[in-house]
């Protein structure tokens, strides 16, 4: 049965078969029988055959597709003992899925929800630096790009020196500044692609200048111009915002965002800064973004004495969902983000983040 993803879960739509209607029995009365009042004959179904319309016997037939008719279309096991049994049986036996595998398939389906409006903007932000905001942008973008068939781009909207370009192997020296300079000449996707670098997971990154001596302030008008260009060629844009809330580009970023991801350290000062950010957004007319926000509790150290459950409960009462990302040595390196080098628990956390973001893809676009 086909699975239809909703905002929170997948539901199965049953098919109902209507029983066939028996044709009425008819016959002649004996010749000596006294005449009687004719009994009304129930209306018969139209005949089927040449010159007649076919009989409509089923109101909702089961689709004759491979997914419904073939018994061997269950997905192959991804790993563990189920995959071993599958391989040892010559790929004939597929053991039943565990609860974890069923949940994983549900999360993937949510991350793959089509973008109803054609283009969706996610702003990744934090008031405090060093919380893993840029790493979260790259990891979320890579996860979405690896699961989807449409184009996903991450944009460095830091007003001065940004580091998003360091999270993917550089393919070009072009930056967001050179894109702005050539904006009138960009008429197709290939033109825009010349300004981006692409990760193995298919995420494209539009970097900012890394040298403070040559970089210029990136303001609200610049962001609107870039956002307008990107909207033509990409389905999802993830913006790595600069720290702080009052720099020039932030106003346009929040104005155009369809949802926000707020990144916080698993620490007292980090949590306080994140809470203050939500307060500021609510006070300045962004209450809808706050209500639908995703909060990422990012562990940048192996151990912490902070009560994670208490921290999660606080933000869960204010926002749509909270995602805990565990410490991962690969992310601590601060270099390119490679999903294959992440620990399984970290990959699972970013899958939950991608699924949470995906739940908003099917909604009508936020009025700006």
């Amino acid at each position: 049965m086909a699975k239809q993803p909703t905002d929170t879960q997948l539901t199965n739509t049953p098919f109902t078969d209507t029983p066939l209607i028996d044709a009425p029995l008819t016959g002649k009365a004996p010749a000596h029988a006294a005449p009687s009042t004719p009994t009304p004959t129930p209306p018969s179904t139209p005949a089927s055959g040449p010159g007649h319309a076919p009989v409509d016997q089923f109101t909702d037939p089961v689709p004759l597709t491979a997914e419904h008719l073939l018994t061997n279309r269950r997905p192959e096991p991804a790993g563990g003992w189920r995959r071993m049994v599958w391989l040892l049986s010559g790929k004939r036996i597929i053991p039943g899925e565990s609860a974890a595998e069923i949940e994983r398939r549900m999360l993937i389906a949510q991350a793959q929800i089509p973008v109803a409006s054609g283009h969706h903007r996610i702003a990744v932000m934090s008031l405090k630096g060093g919380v893993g905001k840029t790493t979260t942008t790259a990891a979320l973008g890579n996860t979405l790009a690896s699961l989807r068939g449409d184009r996903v781009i991450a944009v460095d909207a830091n007003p001065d020196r940004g580091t998003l370009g360091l999270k993917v192997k550089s393919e070009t020296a072009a930056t967001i500044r050179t894109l702005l300079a050539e904006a009138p000449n960009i008429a197709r996707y290939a033109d825009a692609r010349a300004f981006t670098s692409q990760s193995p997971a298919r995420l494209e990154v539009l970097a900012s200048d890394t040298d403070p001596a040559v970089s210029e302030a990136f303001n609200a008008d610049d962001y609107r111009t870039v956002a307008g260009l990107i909207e033509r060629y990409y389905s999802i844009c993830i913006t790595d915002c600069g720290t702080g809330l009052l720099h020039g580009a932030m106003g346009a970023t929040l104005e155009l965002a369809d949802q926000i991801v707020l990144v916080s350290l698993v620490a007292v000062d980090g949590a306080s800064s994140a809470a203050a950010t939500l307060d500021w957004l609510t006070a300045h007319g962004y209450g809808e973004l706050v209500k639908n926000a995703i909060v990422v509790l990012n562990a940048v150290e192996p151990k912490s004495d902070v009560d994670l459950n208490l921290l999660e409960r606080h933000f869960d009462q204010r926002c749509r969902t909270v995602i805990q990302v565990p410490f991962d040595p690969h992310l601590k390196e601060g270099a390119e983000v490679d999903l294959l080098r992440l620990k399984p628990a970290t990959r699972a956390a970013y899958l939950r983040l991608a699924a949470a973001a995906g739940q908003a893809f099917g909604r009508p676009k936020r009025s700006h």
Side-chain angles (χ1 to χ4, degrees):
M1 290 182 286
K3 296 178 177 62
Q4 304 295 331
T6 66
D7 280 353
T8 57
Q9 61 181 359
L10 302 177
T11 57
N12 291 330
T13 304
F15 294 95
T16 304
D17 291 340
T18 303
L20 295 175
I21 301 174
D22 293 333
L25 298 176
T26 59
K28 294 182 179 179
H32 59 274
S36 60
T37 304
T39 303
T41 303
S44 59
T45 56
S48 179
H52 297 279
V55 179
D56 184 14
Q57 295 175 330
F58 298 97
T59 59
D60 195 4
V62 175
L64 301 181
T65 61
E67 288 76 9
H68 288 85
L69 296 179
L70 297 181
T71 60
N72 63 344
R73 284 303 175 98
R74 278 192 296 175
E76 66 180 55
W81 68 270
R82 293 181 62 251
R83 185 170 183 83
M84 183 177 296
V85 170
W86 177 65
L87 293 173
L88 292 176
S89 67
K91 300 184 179 181
R92 293 189 300 271
I93 299 175
I94 303 179
E97 293 181 300
S98 66
E101 288 170 323
I102 293 173
E103 179 190 21
R104 183 175 182 274
R105 285 200 296 109
M106 182 188 74
L107 293 174
I108 290 174
Q110 290 174 341
Q112 293 174 335
I113 292 175
V115 178
S117 62
H119 185 72
H120 191 91
R121 297 185 181 98
I122 303 171
V124 183
M125 57 187 301
S126 68
L127 189 64
K128 180 180 173 62
V131 303
K133 172 180 56 65
T134 300
T135 298
T136 300
T137 301
L140 170 60
N142 274 299
T143 303
L144 285 171
S146 69
L147 297 174
R148 303 177 61 86
D150 49 8
R151 297 177 188 140
V152 182
I153 187 170
V155 176
D156 195 336
N158 277 276
D160 38 45
R161 183 181 186 274
T163 58
L164 182 62
L166 302 178
K167 303 301 180 182
V168 63
K169 184 177 180 180
S170 178
E171 296 178 336
T172 175
T175 66
I176 200 166
R177 276 285 159 208
T178 52
L179 175 74
L180 281 168
E182 294 295 325
N185 301 321
I186 298 176
R188 54 183 181 172
Y189 166 67
D191 298 332
R193 176 67 178 89
F195 296 90
T196 67
S197 298
Q198 190 176 67
S199 73
R202 295 181 51 253
L203 171 69
E204 292 184 41
V205 170
L206 178 59
S208 66
D209 290 309
T210 57
D211 185 357
V214 299
S215 64
E216 302 174 38
F218 188 69
N219 59 38
D221 290 337
D222 293 335
Y223 182 79
R224 290 189 184 95
T225 300
V226 171
L229 281 171
I230 287 173
E231 186 175 8
R232 301 179 197 170
Y233 311 113
Y234 299 86
S235 296
I236 299 169
C237 174
I238 307 172
T239 300
D240 180 22
C241 304
T243 55
L245 296 168
L246 301 178
H247 63 77
M250 182 58 81
T253 303
L254 292 172
E255 174 191 329
L256 297 177
D258 296 299
Q259 63 175 316
I260 61 174
V261 173
L262 179 62
V263 184
S264 171
L265 281 179
V266 180
V268 175
D269 56 349
S272 298
S273 295
T277 301
L278 295 179
D279 293 338
W280 187 94
L281 291 171
T282 302
H284 287 79
Y286 299 107
E288 183 184 352
L289 283 177
V290 170
K291 183 177 65 175
N292 293 306
I294 303 169
V295 174
V296 173
L297 300 178
N298 197 34
V300 297
E301 298 296 338
K303 295 181 180 180
S304 173
D305 293 329
V306 174
D307 188 335
L308 263 176
N309 293 329
L310 184 61
L311 201 57
E312 182 173 355
R313 283 203 305 272
H314 171 83
F315 289 110
D316 198 44
Q317 292 172 356
R318 306 186 63 180
C319 304
R320 177 159 60 89
T321 190
V322 180
I323 306 295
Q324 296 184 20
V325 177
F327 170 79
D328 195 292
H330 171 56
L331 299 180
K332 185 70 173 178
E333 296 170 355
E336 301 167 16
V337 175
D338 184 351
L339 296 179
L340 298 178
R341 294 186 59 193
L342 296 175
K343 290 183 176 180
T346 312
R347 283 200 302 271
Y350 285 125
L351 175 57
R352 287 191 291 272
L353 175 58
Q359 291 173 11
F361 293 163
R363 297 174 183 168
K365 198 167 186 65
R366 189 176 74 90
S367 57
H368 300 297

